[in-house]
Amino acid sequence: MASVNDKRDTKNSNSMWGGRFAEGPSAIMREINASIPFDKVLWREDIAGSRAHVAMLARQGIVSQQDADTIDGGLQQIAAEYERDGVPEDWDLEDIHMTVEARLTEIIGAVAGRLHTARSRNDQVATDFRMWVRAANQRAIAGIDAVLGALVTRAEEHADSIMPGFTHLQTAQPVTLGHHLLAYFEMLMRDRSRFADALDRMDECPLGSAALAGTGFDLDRDITAEALGFAQPTRNSLDAVSDRDFALDYLTAASQCSLHLSRLAEEFIIWASQPFGFVKLPDTLSTGSSIMPQKRNPDAAELVRGHAGRVIGCTTSLMVTMKGLPLAYSKDMQDDKPPVFEAAGLLDLSLAAMAGMVADSAFQTPRMRKAAEAGHATATDLADWLVRQADIPFREAHHITGAAVKLADEKGVALDGLTIDDLKAIDARIDERVFDALSVDASVAARASYGGTAPVRVRQQVAAAKQRLGMEE
Ligand code: ARG
C-alpha cells in the first residue's frame, strides 16, 4: 500500500485524463480511485453491453460494419481470456470498463477507440450493474422457490403433527407443525413477489444516456435495450445514470427476505436445543464441538441469523451513500457495488442453507406433542366450551378456566387429567362432554376457521400452495 507521504509517483500522465495533468495520479489517488478489485465481476455484463452497443452503432451507420466486426471479435477474444484466466487487476486502469477497453486496444489497435462513441462510463456502469442486479434478483427467486418447495412438502407431511404454538415464547395453544411451516411459506411468497416487482421496475436499459444528457449521435436505444434483454430504454438520461434504486430495491427485498430466513433459523436453533428437542438438524448442516463431544451445533442456522444483520447493513450502506447526491453521476456511486455483491452472496447462501434445513431436518413429533400437552395449551378450549355449552360470558369462563389450570398444576396433571368431580367442584355447569374439547387433537381440529391450524385447513392451504408454486399434485 502507498504511504501518505509519497503523494506523487513518476508514472506518466494517465491516457484517459490526457494532457490536463502534468504528472500521473499519485499512488494514493490510484488506490482510492480503483474499483477493479471489486467491479471485475461485472466483466460478462460489460462485454455484453459493449457488443450490443457496437452492433447498434454499425446498424445506425455510426461506425462501419467492418470496424464493428473487428471490435466484436476482439471483445469475444477478451471474454474467452477472462473465462480462462480471470480478469487482470491493474489499478491504473481503474475499473472493468477501462480494463476491457485497454485490452481491446492491445488486441485490435486504434479501432478499439470507436467503441466508446456515444457512450460514457456513466451509462455503461449503470447498464452493467443493472444487468448484474437483475441476475441476482432471478437467483433470489430461484433460491426462494427451493425453500418454498421444501416448506410445502414438510407441511403436507406434518399437517396433523401437533406442537405447542407460542406467544411470548410461552405455550399458548396447540398448533400443527404444518401450519407453523406454512406461516413461513406465506412470508417467503411475499419476499418472492418483492423480488419480482423489483425485476419489473428495473426492466429499462440506461445505455445510450451517455454521460448525463444523452448524445448527439443518432442512436437506436430500442435495439440495445432489446439486445440486452430489457423491455425498453430508460426515459430520462439524468435519472438513468444516477439512479441506483434498482440496487436498493434488490437490497431491501434481500433484507426483508434475510430477516424472514433469520426468524426461521431462530426457530430451528430453539427447536434443536436439548430442552426443546423438537428437531434433529441434518448432519450436513451441523457441526461438532472440538471440546464437548456431545455437542451438535446449529452453526448453519446461526450464520443465517448472523448474515441477516450483514445484509441489512449493506442496505443501510447504499442508502446512506445515495442520500445526499445531486444529479447526475458522482464518484460516491462507485461504492454502490461492494454492498450489493456482499449481500447477494450472503442471501444466496442463506437461501440454500435454509432449503436444506427445512428439507432434511428430522422433526421429533412425539416430543412436540408432549410439549403441547404439558403447557395447558387447551385452556382456551375449556373457556370456549364454557361459552358455547354453558352460555357463560367469556370473561367469566376465562376465570373458571384459570381455577382449573391452578388445580391441574397442584395435582401435577394436564387439564384433561382432571376428573369430572374436580371440574364440577370448580363450576357445576361443567359436564362430561368437556373432555371432548380438552385434548390437543380436539383443540387443533376445532380451529377450522379460514387460515386456522386445523389439519383440514392445513391440507387445503398445502394444496393451494402447490398450485401457487406450480407444483404437481
Ligand atoms: N468505476 C466507475 C463506477 O463504478 C465507473 C463510472 C466512472 N464515471 C466517471 N464519470 N468517473 O462508478
Side-chain angles (χ1 to χ4, degrees):
M1 211 183 86
S3 118
V4 241
N5 295 324
D6 97 68
K7 295 223 168 60
R8 295 247 147 76
D9 69 16
T10 50
K11 263 206 166 253
N12 282 333
S13 161
N14 183 300
S15 60
M16 186 183 29
W17 293 344
R20 203 152 79 74
F21 290 77
E23 293 175 281
S26 72
I28 288 172
M29 186 58 215
R30 276 213 316 278
E31 184 170 350
I32 198 170
N33 209 31
S35 55
I36 187 67
F38 53 84
D39 69 16
K40 62 183 184 178
V41 308
L42 295 175
W43 71 264
R44 283 191 185 78
E45 288 78 8
D46 197 71
I47 289 175
S50 288
R51 294 184 66 192
H53 182 66
V54 77
M56 181 275 293
L57 291 180
R59 264 186 63 177
Q60 296 299 101
I62 299 167
V63 302
S64 71
Q65 191 59 53
Q66 194 188 348
D67 286 349
D69 291 343
T70 307
I71 289 170
D72 195 69
L75 288 168
Q76 290 190 59
Q77 181 182 327
I78 296 171
E81 288 173 6
Y82 290 177
E83 191 76 73
R84 192 180 57 235
D85 309 324
V87 182
E89 226 181 88
D90 177 353
W91 289 357
D92 284 327
L93 294 173
E94 269 193 55
D95 56 26
I96 186 61
H97 324 295
M98 302 305 298
T99 301
V100 171
E101 195 177 322
R103 180 67 189 130
L104 188 63
T105 309
E106 281 170 11
I107 298 172
I108 63 170
V111 66
R114 296 194 185 276
L115 170 60
H116 213 50
T117 312
R119 187 176 75 169
S120 151
R121 278 187 298 159
N122 295 349
D123 60 337
Q124 197 178 350
V125 72
T127 306
D128 293 1
F129 193 30
R130 221 180 246 246
M131 288 195 282
W132 196 93
V133 172
R134 180 174 64 185
N137 259 281
Q138 287 157 346
R139 279 202 310 281
I141 288 175
I144 289 175
D145 283 345
V147 185
L148 289 170
L151 284 167
V152 176
T153 304
R154 301 312 300 271
E156 182 167 38
E157 187 186 325
H158 291 288
D160 301 279
S161 304
I162 289 176
M163 64 178 283
F166 301 97
T167 61
H168 315 268
L169 202 54
Q170 305 284 317
T171 299
Q173 292 173 351
V175 295
T176 54
L177 174 57
H179 196 52
H180 196 118
L181 294 173
L182 286 184
Y184 284 93
F185 178 89
E186 295 298 326
M187 294 178 227
L188 286 163
M189 278 300 278
R190 291 193 293 274
D191 293 334
R192 190 187 195 285
S193 78
R194 273 182 273 272
F195 284 111
D197 280 354
L199 270 176
D200 256 12
R201 257 193 302 279
M202 70 181 71
D203 200 10
E204 294 179 347
C205 185
L207 197 60
S209 300
L212 74 166
T215 171
F217 291 95
D218 178 26
L219 303 185
D220 186 337
R221 294 189 55 210
D222 288 310
I223 292 181
T224 41
E226 201 194 320
L228 297 173
F230 289 98
Q232 61 191 59
T234 51
R235 293 179 175 86
N236 181 301
S237 61
L238 289 167
D239 174 50
V241 297
S242 72
D243 158 48
R244 291 296 180 272
D245 58 47
F246 64 88
L248 285 167
D249 271 352
Y250 171 77
L251 285 173
T252 49
S255 291
Q256 181 68 74
C257 183
S258 302
L259 187 158
H260 285 152
L261 295 176
S262 174
R263 294 185 67 183
L264 181 56
E266 172 68 4
E267 306 263 18
F268 276 93
I269 293 163
I270 294 173
W271 292 350
S273 68
Q274 280 76 9
F276 269 77
F278 285 7
V279 73
K280 187 161 170 275
L281 297 178
D283 286 345
T284 47
L285 290 168
S286 316
T287 58
S289 157
S290 51
I291 181 157
M292 295 165 285
Q294 86 282 14
K295 289 292 283 292
R296 191 187 165 79
N297 292 329
D299 294 34
E302 290 170 300
L303 286 165
V304 168
R305 192 176 58 184
H307 286 359
R310 290 172 63 191
V311 172
I312 292 164
C314 290
T315 307
T316 307
S317 163
L318 184 53
M319 283 188 166
V320 177
T321 295
M322 295 306 296
K323 67 174 272 299
L325 299 184
L327 293 176
Y329 178 87
S330 299
K331 195 67 174 238
D332 316 39
M333 290 164 69
Q334 177 164 287
D335 282 343
D336 57 358
K337 286 171 242 19
V340 173
F341 295 160
E342 182 183 356
L346 295 168
L347 178 68
D348 290 347
L349 257 176
S350 296
L351 284 165
M354 291 317 291
M357 204 161 318
V358 172
D360 298 333
S361 285
F363 294 107
Q364 309 293 300
T365 47
R367 177 99 182 192
M368 287 181 158
R369 188 185 171 89
K370 247 182 121 182
E373 285 167 345
H376 301 310
T378 58
T380 317
D381 297 278
L382 174 55
D384 286 353
W385 186 90
L386 292 165
V387 170
R388 259 197 245 112
Q389 304 299 326
D391 196 26
I392 297 172
F394 183 77
R395 286 291 163 218
E396 191 188 341
H398 185 279
H399 193 76
I400 296 166
T401 304
V405 166
K406 187 158 171 272
L407 181 62
D409 274 341
E410 280 162 16
K411 296 184 70 171
V413 297
L415 272 179
D416 61 355
L418 291 173
T419 65
I420 188 62
D421 294 334
D422 290 336
L423 289 166
K424 277 194 178 302
I426 292 167
D427 194 289
R429 290 168 288 186
I430 302 177
D431 63 50
E432 294 279 355
R433 290 171 304 162
V434 76
F435 291 107
D436 294 339
L438 290 187
S439 73
V440 289
D441 301 279
S443 173
V444 295
R447 295 214 157 59
S449 54
Y450 182 78
T453 195
V456 298
R457 287 299 192 184
V458 173
R459 289 215 170 75
Q460 198 177 53
Q461 287 302 334
V462 163
K466 283 182 171 176
Q467 226 165 34
R468 286 157 84 187
L469 286 184
M471 276 166 78
E472 291 162 58
E473 273 286 359

